[in-house]
Amino acid sequence: MADVAEKAGVSRALVSIIFRNQPGAGEETRQRVLRVADEIGYRPDSAARLLARGRSRTLGVMFTVHQTFHTDLIEGIYAEVERLGYEVLLSGATQGRSEQKAVEALLSHRCEAVILLGSFAEPSFLDELGRRTVAVSVSRRVPHAHVDFVHTAEGKGVRQAMDHLVELGHRRIVHIDGGTGPGSAERRRAYRAAMRRHGLDSEARVIPGDHTERSGMETGRLLLAERDQGQPLPTAVLAGNDRSAMGLLMTLTRAGVEVPRDLSVVGYDDSHLSHLMPIGLTTVRQDAGLMAEYAVRFAVERLEKPELEPREAVLDPKLVVRGSSGPIPEPSA
């Protein structure tokens, strides 16, 4: 600022007034100062100014690299954060970089609150984090942890998917488990409950997996190997998420299995991937935009009113029927 003032021939105080867009400078002087600032490449450091006031107005977001649904959530977070006058800092968790490290990086950069997308962390870590700073967990609920929660009614979404498949005549419906992934336990319980409710206990089968394409591909190879040994394919598969469903679809179609004529596939999330395959994926939609809106709002409200207790938002899912699900296959002649 001193360099700008010297070159423009004005005081540093007047430069400060102009940069803060406050009255006190004539238009000609204002334009000269701004022109000089542009010439020497000066930009006001808004982060430093906020820190000087004791605020960064920055929300940190911890996400998992390669999780496509997290990309959809981040897009919604940016929109809501900018609307409320905050900034976003991202920190990714990878196979070689733990969630804890990703979160500590956000805190070291003066983030006022942390939004965790699909956290796998221990409940004790989430509780301790929520007592250190304002924290919001998206897609995963941990009872009694001192954080806000935003998630979809997992059981309701699975019930919609299962009712859809049963109405199409399916009985041999397999579930690819999401392992320890966010929402997986609830989805697994809801699948078993739906099979019982429809009188299909004897057909229930949960195949271990996780929220990756590899998991779906491995399940596809397993089912094809069983078919080669004389065991019929299931007529439908409910995958733990869209990524797993995509892996399954790739393996089956490469082996000549026609979806949905031979086998129906349903995913979960309605991430942008579900629109990209030649066969549109039937899936349970989680409203990423609304989840992001709640997460940001919870964080900002608790920053502005620290006395608020953590809250929970449970959003309704919606089954989106596309081309990967259809009636039960016709019996062979």
Side-chain angles (χ1 to χ4, degrees):
M1 227 185 290
D3 292 339
V4 174
E6 181 179 357
K7 189 167 183 178
V10 299
S11 69
R12 179 170 173 168
L14 188 59
V15 172
S16 177
I17 286 172
I18 292 170
F19 284 155
R20 286 183 283 121
N21 201 28
Q22 294 184 344
E27 185 59 28
E28 182 181 344
T29 302
R30 181 182 299 275
Q31 292 303 322
R32 184 169 76 253
V33 167
L34 293 175
R35 185 170 62 252
V36 168
D38 187 58
E39 288 172 358
I40 69 174
Y42 174 82
R43 295 291 182 275
D45 190 339
S46 58
R49 189 163 61 242
L50 287 167
L51 286 174
R53 300 175 190 168
R55 294 288 305 273
S56 70
R57 293 188 72 84
T58 300
L59 306 184
V61 178
M62 189 286 298
F63 68 103
T64 302
V65 176
H66 302 310
Q67 273 295 357
T68 52
F69 186 62
H70 290 187
T71 305
D72 299 338
L73 288 168
I74 289 168
E75 185 175 356
I77 286 171
Y78 268 113
E80 185 66 9
V81 162
E82 290 177 3
R83 188 182 73 81
L84 296 175
Y86 280 71
E87 295 290 340
V88 175
L89 187 63
L90 303 178
S91 186
T94 68
Q95 190 170 5
R97 189 174 192 250
S98 68
E99 285 188 25
Q100 289 85 342
K101 189 169 184 178
V103 168
E104 289 302 327
L106 294 171
L107 296 177
S108 70
H109 283 83
R110 304 291 187 92
C111 291
E112 294 189 302
V114 178
I115 297 174
L116 309 171
L117 305 185
S119 173
F120 283 81
E122 291 293 325
S124 58
F125 172 78
L126 292 181
D127 185 55
E128 187 267 339
L129 176 64
R131 297 181 189 280
R132 289 171 59 195
T133 188
V134 173
V136 183
S137 174
V138 179
S139 295
R140 181 189 177 197
R141 180 180 182 275
V142 177
H144 312 303
H146 195 76
V147 301
D148 291 300
F149 297 108
V150 180
H151 60 97
T152 299
E154 308 284 355
K156 189 172 184 179
V158 169
R159 284 195 298 275
Q160 291 177 15
M162 293 295 290
D163 289 349
H164 167 68
L165 291 171
V166 171
E167 286 170 6
L168 290 170
H170 294 280
R171 296 295 181 269
R172 296 198 313 278
I173 306 170
V174 166
H175 176 52
I176 306 176
D177 187 24
T180 58
S184 297
E186 292 86 351
R187 295 172 198 178
R188 183 169 57 247
R189 284 195 294 268
Y191 161 77
R192 292 190 182 280
M195 293 294 278
R196 287 195 300 271
R197 181 163 54 87
H198 288 291
L200 303 174
D201 297 55
S202 61
E203 301 287 354
R205 182 184 182 188
V206 176
I207 297 177
D210 56 34
H211 286 170
T212 65
E213 293 85 358
R214 183 190 67 251
S215 174
M217 294 171 73
E218 290 175 351
T219 296
R221 287 193 288 266
L222 171 66
L223 297 177
L224 291 169
E226 291 175 346
R227 183 193 63 177
D228 293 343
Q229 295 170 4
Q231 185 174 331
L233 288 172
T235 63
V237 176
L238 172 65
N241 73 341
D242 288 351
R243 290 180 65 192
S244 177
M246 292 299 178
L248 176 67
L249 281 169
M250 287 188 290
T251 300
L252 293 178
T253 54
R254 286 171 183 167
V257 176
E258 291 193 29
V259 176
R261 191 196 69 179
D262 301 327
L263 185 148
S264 290
V265 178
V266 178
Y268 203 108
D269 280 345
D270 196 31
S271 64
H272 62 270
L273 273 183
S274 61
H275 309 268
L276 301 180
M277 295 287 287
I279 302 173
L281 179 65
T282 295
T283 184
V284 178
R285 173 181 294 161
Q286 299 194 84
D287 191 330
L290 190 57
M291 294 174 79
E293 183 180 323
Y294 268 101
V296 173
R297 189 190 311 163
F298 279 178
V300 170
E301 287 176 356
R302 275 220 287 146
L303 283 173
E304 296 175 353
K305 295 182 180 178
E307 70 276 7
L308 286 175
E309 286 297 312
R311 292 157 295 171
E312 181 175 2
V314 183
L315 308 183
D316 280 336
K318 180 182 178 181
L319 180 69
V320 181
V321 178
R322 298 192 180 97
S324 67
S325 60
I328 188 172
E330 293 292 332
S332 302

